[in-house]
Amino acid sequence: MPDHSAKHLIIGGGIIGCSIAYHLAKSGEKDVVLLEKAALTEGATWHAAGLVGQLRSSRNTTRMLQRSVAMYDRLEDETGLACDWKKTGSLRLAASKDRMLETRRLATMARSFDLEMNIISPDEARSLFPYINITGLEGAAFIPSDGHVDPASLCQSIAAGARLHGATLKQGVEVLDFTVVGGRIAAVTTTKGTYEAETITLATGMWSRELGAKLGLTIPACAIEHQYIVTEPIADFPDGLPTLRDPDRLVY
Ligand SMILES: Cc1cc2nc3c(=O)[nH]c(=O)nc-3n(C[C@H](O)[C@H](O)[C@H](O)COP(=O)(O)OP(=O)(O)OC[C@H]3O[C@@H](n4cnc5c(N)ncnc54)[C@H](O)[C@@H]3O)c2cc1C
């Protein structure tokens, strides 16, 4: 007999696991339990730069990101926890003719997904973000409803929403293994006893490959190196600048 049971068991307390717990509990599902081996946000979520961009090459992913923005708009009122969500818009520079062509195609795609994306001139881009050097710039794309957020606070706010709707979030519980019987997971072994559940979701980000392998699954997730710069506060740095991405120089 397992030590604990849940209807929905979610493994991993990053933004994805917390969001799954929140949406299940908010839609009326009972007995939603999340297990996190360390503390909430301790994985990749804590490291994210916090850029919130909605346009992707698939309609469904774009729609999901539009729904994320709608959620960020209401989350603080719903949970009482601020997440520093700033709808500043996003700028994507086009520093070559080919990039500009690609940018125009992206704008057509955005329109077909009902997402406002404006093609603007180099001067307009500079008026939105005064620090850019517009030499050689062909133009830029601006999405007014994008922005940035503090990822750790956002995750805590979503977690608070999940708890408000009845989900249980357990920290310091690591999933170690699974017992599979007849093609179903009969038990989940953790550092704090065993669990049974009707549905089990792996939301373990870059750890999913190791955990998936225990179930015979090949999950193509791994860590890759990425650099970022953290500065001291910059005096007089204006508030409310849009996020900025320059795909030709691989920086944001
Ligand atoms: C430097 C950097 C910058 C980024 N910038 C952006 C950005 O600007 N915008 C953007 O949208 N995205 C950005 N990302 C990506 C974003 O951070 C991730 O897509 C997101 O955080 C993934 O969330 P997750 O919940 O899937 O994973 P994670 O946050 O990694 O959560 C997985 C959780 O699972 C837990 N776990 C693992 N194994 C077990 C186990 N066996 N038992 C229990 N718990 C377990 C871990 O402790 C962890 O808390 C960035 C990422 C990095 C690294």
Side-chain angles (χ1 to χ4, degrees):
M1 251 321 255
D3 305 310
H4 313 275
S5 73
K7 183 170 180 201
H8 300 289
L9 189 71
I10 300 152
I11 309 170
I15 192 116
I16 301 292
C18 290
S19 185
I20 293 168
Y22 166 81
H23 283 96
L24 280 171
K26 189 176 163 70
S27 69
E29 288 296 314
K30 302 284 175 235
D31 210 7
V32 176
V33 176
L34 180 149
L35 305 179
E36 162 56 46
K37 69 174 172 151
L40 299 181
T41 90
E42 286 239 340
T45 298
W46 180 85
H47 290 276
L51 268 63
V52 176
Q54 299 161 87
L55 183 63
R56 294 293 186 278
S57 54
S58 114
R59 176 185 293 272
N60 277 345
T61 312
T62 304
R63 204 174 270 161
M64 190 168 76
L65 289 160
Q66 287 171 300
R67 289 185 65 170
S68 298
V69 162
M71 175 171 86
Y72 305 164
D73 284 342
R74 62 164 201 268
L75 207 59
E76 185 174 344
D77 286 343
E78 193 177 320
T79 68
L81 277 189
C83 57
D84 209 18
W85 162 227
K86 298 212 169 73
K87 213 183 228 175
T88 53
S90 69
L91 259 182
R92 187 176 194 275
L93 305 183
S96 68
K97 295 216 179 310
D98 283 349
R99 187 66 68 190
M100 196 62 209
L101 193 67
E102 182 201 40
T103 304
R104 289 191 198 287
R105 286 203 192 106
L106 288 176
T108 307
M109 193 167 80
R111 258 195 306 281
S112 76
F113 295 167
D114 291 325
L115 179 68
E116 184 184 346
M117 176 172 175
N118 306 314
I119 299 291
I120 59 174
S121 68
D123 282 331
E124 287 172 312
R126 190 171 49 187
S127 71
L128 287 167
F129 201 104
Y131 297 97
I132 57 175
N133 177 348
I134 60 170
T135 311
L137 200 64
E138 293 287 325
F142 182 62
I143 298 182
S145 56
D146 282 349
H148 58 92
V149 71
D150 172 39
S153 311
L154 174 63
C155 188
Q156 295 293 356
S157 189
I158 295 172
R163 290 188 185 102
L164 276 175
H165 293 294
T168 304
L169 278 52
K170 297 187 180 177
Q171 304 179 67
V173 184
E174 181 174 358
V175 169
L176 302 172
D177 209 349
F178 304 95
T179 306
V180 178
V181 178
R184 281 186 63 85
I185 300 174
V188 178
T189 307
T190 79
T191 47
K192 304 264 171 77
T194 51
Y195 281 78
E196 65 176 1
E198 277 179 36
T199 73
I200 295 164
T201 309
L202 275 191
T204 42
M206 64 182 161
W207 290 272
S208 300
R209 190 163 57 120
E210 285 82 3
L211 221 46
K214 293 181 190 293
L215 292 161
L217 302 173
T218 304
I219 299 177
C222 66
I224 56 163
E225 202 176 45
H226 189 114
Q227 288 80 31
Y228 58 82
I229 298 172
V230 180
T231 71
E232 295 298 326
I234 299 171
D236 304 327
F237 196 76
D239 214 15
L241 286 183
T243 66
L244 179 77
R245 189 175 287 270
D246 183 349
D248 291 298
R249 294 177 186 85
L250 299 176
V251 292
Y252 60 79

